Amino acid sequence: MQTSWLSADQYASLSTEVQPAFLSPLPGFQVLKISGPDNRKYLQGQTTCDLNQLTADNFLRGAHCDAKGKMWSVFHLFSQGEDLLVVAFRDELQASLVQWKKFGVFSKVSFDQTEQPHAVFGLAGPESQSLIRQLGFTVPQAAGQLVRNGEQSLLCLAADHYLLVLPQTELASLQQAQLPLAAPTLWLEQHIRHGLAYLEQPLIGELVPQMLNLQAVEGISFTKGCYIGQETVARLKYRGGNKRAAYILSAETDETPVAGASIELKLEDNWRRIGQVINAVNINQQLWLLALLPNDITPADSLRLAGEQPLLLSQHALPYSLN
C-alpha cells in the first residue's frame, strides 16, 4: 500500500496509545482483483469458502490450500461489480497468486494488483461506530457484513474490528478528514485478541485450516462440494485427526518473536517444544501472540517462548468455541 500522504517520520510516529476509535494503515496487507466470467466458478474450486453464499452485502473468509490441505493463504473476499477482491497479508497473497495463475490458464479469469491499486486500513475501538459514520458508512450490524461508500468497502470482521479497503486514488480524502490515525500494531493486537490469524512466510504451506481455527470463524464450508485440499479438510472434521489449534498468549517483554518461533511446555522438571508462533505484536512492552498448540492444552499448563532467556507466557480464552 502506498501512503505517500504520510511522510516516513509521520508514519513512524503513529500512536500506539489505546484510543476510543482509530484507523491504522496496513501496508502489510494487499488486494488482488480477480476478473473474468469464470472468476466465481474458478475460486469455488480453489478455496474453502462457498462462493454461492457471496452477495453485495457480505464478504467471505476462507483459505486456499494445496492438494494435501496445507494452506497457501487465509483471506477475506468480496465482490466489486462483476469483479472479486481478495484481501490478505502480502506473503500469503503472493503465494496464492502464483498458484491461481498457474491453473487459471484453463479458465476465463484474470488477476491484477496494479490497474487500480487499493489501500487497506484497520479500523477498531469501542467507539468505532462514530468513526464509521464520519467516513460516510452505515454501521454494519454483525460480523461478516460489508457496507459500501462509493468505491470504498468496510468489512466487519468482529465486534468493533473492521477492514477498510479503498482505491489508492481516494487516499487524499482521508488526508483531509482529520482522522485518528494509529500504528498498524494497534489494530494487529486487536486482530490477535479476536483469535484471527494470517500466514507469514515461514508457515505458508505448513498448516491445515483447522489449525488456525477457521472452522470456528466461518472460514470453511463443509457443504459446498469439491475444492483443492477438500479431502483432507473434510476428513479432519468427520474422522478427527487434527490435534492442534491457535491460542492467544501474552507476556510483558520488549521481545517480538517471528512466525515459527518455538513455544515450550513444562513437563515435570523439563521443557519440551510443543508449538510455534503464528503472529505476534508488541505494543509498549506488552507482547500478544497467536500460537499453534495442541488442542488439549489447558490454562494450568506452563508455557514459555524458547530462547536464550526463555519467557513465560500467559494463556487467554478464545472469543469463540472450537467445537
Side-chain angles (χ1 to χ4, degrees), residues 44 47-50 53 61 208-211 213-227 229-240 242 322-323:
Q44 183 76 336
T47 66
T48 62
C49 53
D50 187 355
Q53 302 302 313
R61 180 179 287 126
V208 297
Q210 286 95 330
M211 291 179 182
N213 310 346
L214 288 190
Q215 79 286 358
V217 293
E218 299 185 352
I220 307 172
S221 170
F222 293 102
T223 60
K224 61 172 284 186
C226 295
Y227 58 88
Q230 182 262 346
E231 182 178 352
T232 297
V233 176
R235 184 170 62 248
L236 290 176
K237 173 179 173 61
Y238 296 112
R239 298 185 182 179
N242 177 48
L322 292 178
N323 297 324

Side-chain angles (χ1 to χ4, degrees), residues 225-293:
C226 295
Y227 58 88
I228 296 176
Q230 182 262 346
E231 182 178 352
T232 297
V233 176
R235 184 170 62 248
L236 290 176
K237 173 179 173 61
Y238 296 112
R239 298 185 182 179
N242 177 48
K243 303 300 183 182
R244 291 183 285 173
Y247 291 89
I248 304 169
L249 306 175
S250 71
E252 292 186 10
T253 178
D254 58 2
E255 293 185 41
T256 306
V258 298
S262 295
I263 293 174
E264 298 176 332
L265 170 70
K266 188 174 184 180
L267 296 172
E268 297 182 349
D269 295 329
N270 299 310
W271 291 85
R272 180 167 65 89
R273 186 182 189 275
I274 198 70
Q276 58 189 322
V277 173
I278 301 167
N279 305 127
V281 64
N282 194 314
I283 301 177
N284 302 324
Q285 297 188 321
Q286 180 65 52
L287 171 67
W288 288 91
L289 59 85
L290 273 180
L292 184 66
L293 299 171

Side-chain angles (χ1 to χ4, degrees), residues 2-206:
Q2 298 296 318
T3 52
S4 57
W5 49 281
L6 285 178
S7 69
D9 289 342
Q10 288 173 321
Y11 186 81
S13 64
L14 287 174
S15 174
T16 58
E17 298 301 320
V18 176
Q19 303 179 52
F22 60 88
L23 194 67
S24 296
L26 300 177
F29 287 77
Q30 298 178 346
V31 179
L32 174 68
K33 182 174 73 172
I34 305 179
S35 306
D38 291 344
N39 58 357
R40 292 196 180 210
K41 178 181 178 181
Y42 180 67
L43 284 190
Q44 183 76 336
Q46 291 278 323
T47 66
T48 62
C49 53
D50 187 355
L51 273 290
N52 293 326
Q53 302 302 313
L54 184 64
T55 72
D57 301 318
N58 73 350
F59 66 90
L60 301 178
R61 180 179 287 126
H64 174 212
C65 304
D66 65 16
K68 296 181 179 180
K70 301 294 183 65
M71 292 181 292
W72 298 109
S73 66
V74 178
F75 57 80
H76 296 91
L77 178 151
F78 62 97
S79 64
Q80 187 177 70
E82 297 299 316
D83 299 326
L84 298 173
L85 297 186
V86 178
V87 186
F89 188 66
R90 57 175 175 253
D91 296 350
E92 55 185 343
L93 189 62
Q94 294 306 311
S96 276
L97 179 57
V98 170
Q99 301 301 317
W100 283 335
K101 281 186 172 181
K102 183 186 301 184
F103 298 104
V105 296
F106 304 107
S107 300
K108 296 178 181 178
V109 62
S110 62
F111 307 89
D112 181 76
Q113 285 185 284
T114 59
E115 180 181 344
Q116 188 186 40
H118 287 75
V120 182
F121 288 78
L123 191 155
E127 298 180 14
S128 55
Q129 293 188 6
S130 61
L131 180 54
I132 289 170
R133 294 189 184 97
Q134 182 183 349
L135 290 168
F137 293 96
T138 58
V139 178
Q141 297 303 304
Q145 291 189 348
L146 177 146
V147 293
R148 304 174 192 268
N149 178 19
E151 293 189 73
Q152 301 183 21
S153 300
L154 185 73
L155 290 65
C156 181
L157 306 187
D160 299 321
H161 189 64
Y162 306 86
L163 276 177
L164 172 63
V165 182
L166 69 159
Q168 290 186 9
T169 53
E170 299 191 14
L171 285 173
S173 64
L174 294 186
Q175 183 182 18
Q176 300 167 2
Q178 300 297 313
L179 298 170
L181 296 177
T185 49
L186 203 61
W187 186 86
L188 293 171
E189 178 205 356
Q190 294 298 312
H191 206 58
I192 289 172
R193 295 177 71 171
H194 281 294
L196 301 175
Y198 56 91
L199 287 173
E200 300 179 61
Q201 190 62 52
L203 298 183
I204 290 173
E206 298 294 325

